[in-house]
Amino acid sequence: DVVMTQSPLSLPVTLGQPASISCRSSQSLVSSDGNTYLNWFQQRPGQSPRRLFYKVSIRDSGVPDRFSGSGSGTDFTLKISRVEAEDVGVYYCMQGTHWPRTFGQGTKVEIK
Amino acid sequence: EVQLLESGGGLAQPGGSLRLSCAASGFTFTSQDMNWVRQGPGKGLEWVSSVDGTGAGTNYADSVMGRFTISRDNSRNTLYLQMSNLRAEDTALYYCTRNAGLDSWGPGTLVTVSS
């Protein structure tokens, strides 16, 4: 199975400051069709997860542009340019290239 | 608007069975793969199973292989998860999610396995 490793697991951030979450996969996520199926999800407290990005960097509708996704191969990053109070929650990466699908452990973003 | 609504959760004894349902609306159900993802209490997300639009193609996590069966009724726009031989570690909130990219999620249905 592809292991997805996120870091850090806990991320205290000052409001208005940037934040960055790393996600590394144990195998390349480049599919035979040339696409890289790496998704990012946000789970706010008490809510269902919400997808933020698919195929590494394609932003879902309604996601603020202070969020960005980047990376390739086995190394991926989710960045928040200026953290706002509504960004508090747990962020997960997930690979959709290989079976079984696998998630990272989650990174908890909180305000300092 | 895409809507997914899970039901069928509850308390089951170890070794028991439950069937989860997910009623889908707001999109062409037959054209979308569907998935179940679960989240144990205080834990992260775990992919459980996926089925293609026809229902013929299925995949399972090793942890549920041979015990859970995913299926769909395209005439009723409904996704199912038949869960048998339940274990304590199956206790979780079970989410129904849409397509290979998991772009939409339901509110979840809680399954508790305990004697």
Side-chain angles (χ1 to χ4, degrees), chain A residues 1 37 39 41 43 47-51 53-54 60 90 92 94 96 99-106, chain B residues 35 37 39 43-47 49-50 59-62 95 99-108:
Chain A
D1 298 1
Y37 296 101
N39 302 332
F41 299 89
Q43 187 174 31
Q47 295 187 12
S48 298
R50 162 200 183 195
R51 195 178 71 179
F53 291 92
Y54 61 101
D60 272 284
V90 182
Y92 298 91
M94 187 212 84
W99 296 105
R101 306 313 193 203
T102 44
F103 287 90
Q105 317 97 302
Chain B
N35 321 276
V37 174
Q39 186 169 34
K43 296 188 176 180
L45 301 173
E46 179 188 14
W47 172 80
S49 183
S50 297
N59 285 278
Y60 298 92
D62 287 347
Y95 294 104
N99 75 29
L102 283 67
D103 72 345
S104 300
W105 297 60

Side-chain angles (χ1 to χ4, degrees), chain A:
Chain A
D1 298 1
V2 177
V3 177
M4 305 297 288
T5 302
Q6 289 183 227
S7 62
L9 299 184
S10 178
L11 185 55
V13 187
T14 301
L15 286 172
Q17 293 300 301
S20 180
I21 300 170
S22 170
C23 173
R24 290 192 167 93
S25 58
S26 61
Q27 298 177 33
S28 172
L29 299 186
V30 179
S31 175
S32 56
D33 64 9
N35 290 306
T36 301
Y37 296 101
L38 186 283
N39 302 332
W40 286 100
F41 299 89
Q42 174 195 59
Q43 187 174 31
R44 290 172 171 152
Q47 295 187 12
S48 298
R50 162 200 183 195
R51 195 178 71 179
L52 300 177
F53 291 92
Y54 61 101
K55 293 183 190 178
V56 182
S57 61
I58 303 175
R59 189 183 293 107
D60 272 284
S61 174
V63 175
D65 61 9
R66 65 178 181 276
F67 287 90
S68 63
S70 63
S72 63
T74 62
D75 199 351
F76 306 92
T77 303
L78 176 70
K79 292 183 178 177
I80 311 173
S81 59
R82 295 172 308 278
V83 171
E84 297 189 6
E86 66 177 18
D87 301 335
V88 164
V90 182
Y91 293 78
Y92 298 91
C93 60
M94 187 212 84
Q95 65 83 18
T97 298
H98 304 283
W99 296 105
R101 306 313 193 203
T102 44
F103 287 90
Q105 317 97 302
T107 295
K108 186 173 184 178
V109 172
E110 59 184 11
I111 305 301
K112 279 183 184 174

Side-chain angles (χ1 to χ4, degrees), chain B residues 16-66:
Chain B
S17 299
L18 279 176
R19 188 176 83 154
L20 306 184
S21 300
C22 171
S25 61
F27 64 100
T28 304
F29 186 66
T30 55
S31 70
Q32 301 282 342
D33 296 356
M34 297 294 294
N35 321 276
W36 290 98
V37 174
R38 68 185 181 183
Q39 186 169 34
K43 296 188 176 180
L45 301 173
E46 179 188 14
W47 172 80
V48 173
S49 183
S50 297
V51 62
D52 67 16
T54 69
T58 59
N59 285 278
Y60 298 92
D62 287 347
S63 57
V64 307
M65 185 87 69

Side-chain angles (χ1 to χ4, degrees), chain B residues 36-91:
Chain B
W36 290 98
V37 174
R38 68 185 181 183
Q39 186 169 34
K43 296 188 176 180
L45 301 173
E46 179 188 14
W47 172 80
V48 173
S49 183
S50 297
V51 62
D52 67 16
T54 69
T58 59
N59 285 278
Y60 298 92
D62 287 347
S63 57
V64 307
M65 185 87 69
R67 301 187 299 120
F68 290 9
T69 301
I70 192 171
S71 63
R72 60 193 296 160
D73 184 339
N74 286 343
S75 68
R76 295 176 182 270
N77 286 358
T78 302
L79 175 72
Y80 301 102
L81 186 68
Q82 178 67 48
M83 310 164 67
S84 60
N85 193 16
L86 284 162
R87 305 167 179 167
E89 55 264 36
D90 296 320
T91 294

